[in-house]
Amino acid sequence: MNEELNLETFKYFLECYFNVSANYNELNKIVNDFNLFENVKYRQKLLAELEIILELENWNIVQEVVKKYGMRKMDERKVKWLIQVIVGNLKSN
C-alpha cells in the first residue's frame, strides 16, 4: 500500500470498536454499533478504506495493521473474512 493510504479510520475501528476485548462472534454487532454512533463521514471513510484494501490485496500490510491496532494476530484467511464482514455490514446499513 502506498504512503497516501494511511487507513486512519480502519485503525480507529480496530482500537475503539474491535479491540482485543471483543469476541469474533460479536463482529456484526460491533459494526452495527459503529454505524449507530459514528457520523456518515466516518462510515463512508471506513468503507472506502476497506474497499481499497480489498482491491489492493496486500494482506501482509493489513495483517500488520490488525496486529498493531487491534492487538490480534490473524492469518490471511481471517483478515479477508474480517474485512468482508465489516464491508457487508457497512453496506447493509
Side-chain angles (χ1 to χ4, degrees):
M1 289 184 202
N2 62 36
E3 290 192 30
E4 292 176 28
L5 183 62
N6 58 24
L7 304 175
E8 288 304 316
T9 311
F10 182 50
K11 292 173 185 175
Y12 169 74
F13 177 82
L14 292 171
E15 289 178 327
C16 298
Y17 287 89
F18 193 60
N19 54 46
V20 73
S21 67
N23 293 320
Y24 289 97
N25 61 355
E26 298 174 307
L27 185 56
N28 291 326
K29 182 191 176 317
I30 291 167
V31 178
N32 288 332
D33 287 348
F34 182 85
N35 280 324
L36 285 173
F37 299 122
E38 300 298 333
N39 69 39
V40 172
K41 180 177 97 174
Y42 291 112
R43 295 190 317 253
Q44 290 172 340
K45 191 167 190 279
L46 178 59
L47 183 58
E49 289 176 7
L50 297 177
E51 287 177 337
I52 290 170
I53 287 171
L54 289 171
E55 184 179 311
L56 294 176
E57 295 185 331
N58 191 335
W59 302 112
N60 291 330
I61 290 177
V62 179
Q63 287 172 301
E64 289 302 314
V65 169
V66 170
K67 184 176 178 181
K68 182 174 181 179
Y69 294 93
M71 294 184 278
R72 296 171 187 271
K73 185 171 168 103
M74 297 178 144
D75 62 18
E76 182 178 317
R77 179 191 55 79
K78 192 88 167 194
V79 169
K80 287 179 184 179
W81 169 83
L82 174 71
I83 302 301
Q84 290 168 341
V85 169
I86 298 169
V87 167
N89 278 285
L90 288 171
K91 285 184 174 181
S92 70
N93 288 314

